[in-house]
Amino acid sequence: MKSMDSANGRNTVRCPLRLVSVVLTILFAVSGCGGEHPPSGSKAADPKAPPEAFPQDPTATIQGDWPSPGTEHDPADVVALGARLAYAYDQDDVGITAFRLDSGDVAWHTTIPEGSSVAQAPRLTGNMVIGAFATTKSGSGTYADRHGISVIAMEAGTGKTLWTREIATDNAAGAAVPHVVEADARHVLVASYEQGYSETPPLSALLDTRTGRVIWTDADFKAVDLEESVAVGIRDDGDLAGKSTSDGKQQWKRDLQLGEIRATDPGPGLTFADGTAAGGTLLIDAATGTTRLDSGDTSLLGCRYDGWNTTICAGADGSGNAAAWAVDVRTSDVLWRLPDTSTNRVAPEITSAWHGVVYAQADQAMTLDIRTGKDLRTSVGPISPTMVNDGYGLIYDDSARTIDVYRAADGSASD
């Protein structure tokens, strides 16, 4: 087991309250919206790409009737972020709404017939936005209501339906709400389960992105991560497992002895695993199930992949102090970590990462170089965004249930 010390949609948080804002981040910061990872290591930091300054006031404010984010208050549980549009579910008129980033106006809305409930956010891959909906067909007489899952792919720019797939569920699973775990150019991974303890087993399904064809379903698998050749999830017995994306056969299974596992996607090829009984947070090789990194006495809350070749993980060290580590997703080497007593540097609160830049909050909003950890700008304006693309920074306001959109001060946003 390789130690992080030497190499360098959710459980009890083992860190000071001042770290709570760390989790107002996007564990999938990288794809900007949803699931498909750009080829890792394909680029180095480009100073022209990510915005590094934002105006005093938001350009627009987005408000919709979307589901509440999970316990981590992750903005990626609210919207999927594209270059010019943001996509969210509507709980009232059940469907998907696309909002214009430059104005906050609705670009399009599509209602899903018989849609009864939604969870988290739709996912964006290529020119498609994909959503999963619990559906209910009302029974009559002696016939009970029938529950199911509808998975729908839409054209991202127009909302035009490209395909729809119905997945039958056990009627006992009616309280479970499905969500799209991730989507890439080949596969869509959907999971349906109740939060916390439940006697209803989870249901996961893998679909073909192009056609919506169901490749496999598994009624004993809580999917948490999608990679090119394997889907990772938690079995009913608590073990972490990997299933082949081609035929659903189990490729590996591990009892991590982590208690109630909290697992997410920290970047391509890796699965983040943590739990109340864990001594440290693990980064697991998604293809083989082997441990790539073990954080030891540092408890990491989550990681944000920058879309190129680095993921930034934040949490608390053994003394309860804020900690931030940058990990190369190809080699699993820890490139740098804070705090660093030798240079009198503290760990800032990490809010997001994008294309070589870490967005953080210390005494004020700032940016760091994700590969070196060096301060880039110690003042980037009044906000440190919780979601970023090449032209905009977004802040999710959990209390107001709104999203403030800030157009990059350098004017790099595309019209």
Side-chain angles (χ1 to χ4, degrees):
M1 186 176 291
K2 185 178 181 182
S3 168
M4 282 189 176
D5 280 278
S6 60
N8 17 230
R10 301 187 168 146
N11 279 356
T12 303
V13 175
R14 295 163 287 162
C15 58
L17 290 178
R18 62 191 176 87
L19 281 177
V20 170
S21 62
V22 172
V23 300
L24 287 174
T25 61
I26 128 181
L27 298 180
F28 301 99
V30 293
S31 52
C33 26
E36 182 175 9
H37 300 304
S40 62
S42 60
K43 292 193 178 184
D46 180 351
K48 295 182 296 183
E52 287 197 41
F54 300 94
Q56 181 72 30
D57 299 315
T59 307
T61 297
I62 297 173
Q63 186 162 23
D65 187 22
W66 44 63
S68 298
T71 55
E72 293 176 352
H73 302 282
D74 183 2
D77 284 351
V78 177
V79 297
L81 179 60
R84 301 177 182 86
L85 299 176
Y87 306 86
Y89 288 128
D90 189 313
Q91 296 184 114
D92 182 26
D93 186 18
V94 179
I96 294 177
T97 303
F99 298 90
R100 294 186 178 91
L101 292 174
D102 59 356
S103 65
D105 296 337
V106 172
W108 56 260
H109 172 77
T110 301
T111 302
I112 308 305
E114 299 178 334
S116 58
S117 54
V118 287
Q120 298 189 21
R123 299 299 178 194
L124 182 67
T125 179
N127 68 340
M128 301 170 66
V129 59
I130 302 173
F133 304 82
T135 56
T136 301
K137 294 183 178 179
S138 298
S140 62
T142 59
Y143 292 92
D145 293 349
R146 295 181 61 185
H147 301 288
I149 297 172
S150 287
V151 184
I152 301 178
M154 302 174 183
E155 191 174 81
T158 65
K160 175 185 176 182
T161 298
L162 300 175
W163 54 257
T164 300
R165 188 65 57 202
E166 303 292 332
I167 301 174
T169 62
D170 188 324
N171 271 8
V177 181
H179 66 279
V180 181
V181 178
E182 291 186 37
D184 61 26
R186 298 181 62 189
H187 302 113
V188 178
L189 184 60
V190 175
S192 179
Y193 52 83
E194 294 181 74
Q195 296 292 345
Y197 174 76
S198 172
E199 294 184 356
T200 302
L203 173 68
S204 295
L206 189 77
L207 293 78
D208 185 293
T209 302
R210 295 160 296 181
T211 65
R213 177 180 65 89
V214 177
I215 300 172
W216 52 256
T217 61
D218 191 329
D220 181 26
F221 190 70
K222 178 181 174 181
V224 298
D225 187 12
L226 173 65
E227 302 294 338
E228 182 177 354
S229 63
V230 66
V232 181
I234 303 167
R235 305 227 66 104
D236 193 47
D237 59 8
D239 288 354
L240 195 68
K243 290 170 60 71
S244 169
T245 54
S246 61
D247 55 17
K249 291 182 179 178
Q250 186 167 286
Q251 302 299 296
W252 56 266
K253 181 179 177 180
R254 286 188 62 184
D255 178 4
L256 296 176
Q257 299 180 342
L258 294 178
E260 186 180 350
I261 297 176
R262 178 173 64 94
T264 58
D265 178 14
L270 299 173
T271 297
F272 176 101
D274 193 19
T276 56
T281 304
L282 305 179
L283 294 186
I284 303 294
D285 187 307
T288 64
T290 58
T291 297
R292 296 270 293 273
L293 293 174
D294 183 344
S295 71
D297 65 353
T298 296
S299 176
L300 300 174
L301 297 175
C303 304
R304 307 95 177 130
Y305 171 52
D306 80 331
W308 281 351
N309 50 28
T310 313
T311 188
I312 180 78
C313 303
D317 62 21
S319 300
N321 298 315
W325 297 9
V327 180
D328 187 300
V329 296
R330 301 161 302 174
T331 65
S332 298
D333 289 336
V334 176
L335 304 174
W336 55 268
R337 57 179 180 162
L338 291 174
D340 184 351
T341 55
S342 66
T343 57
N344 197 34
R345 298 182 70 204
V346 300
E349 294 181 351
I350 308 299
T351 62
S352 56
W354 182 246
H355 287 183
V357 174
V358 177
Y359 298 86
Q361 185 79 38
D363 56 339
Q364 55 189 336
M366 64 174 299
T367 56
L368 298 85
D369 185 300
I370 201 168
R371 298 296 291 182
T372 66
K374 293 181 179 179
D375 293 359
L376 290 177
R377 298 182 62 164
T378 55
S379 178
V380 297
I383 63 102
S384 183
T386 50
M387 299 184 81
V388 187
N389 63 16
D390 284 346
Y392 295 92
L394 278 63
I395 293 285
Y396 175 66
D397 186 329
D398 187 42
S399 59
R401 300 288 304 279
T402 60
I403 296 173
D404 286 333
V405 182
Y406 295 79
R407 188 183 180 104
D410 60 7
S412 61
S414 299
D415 292 316

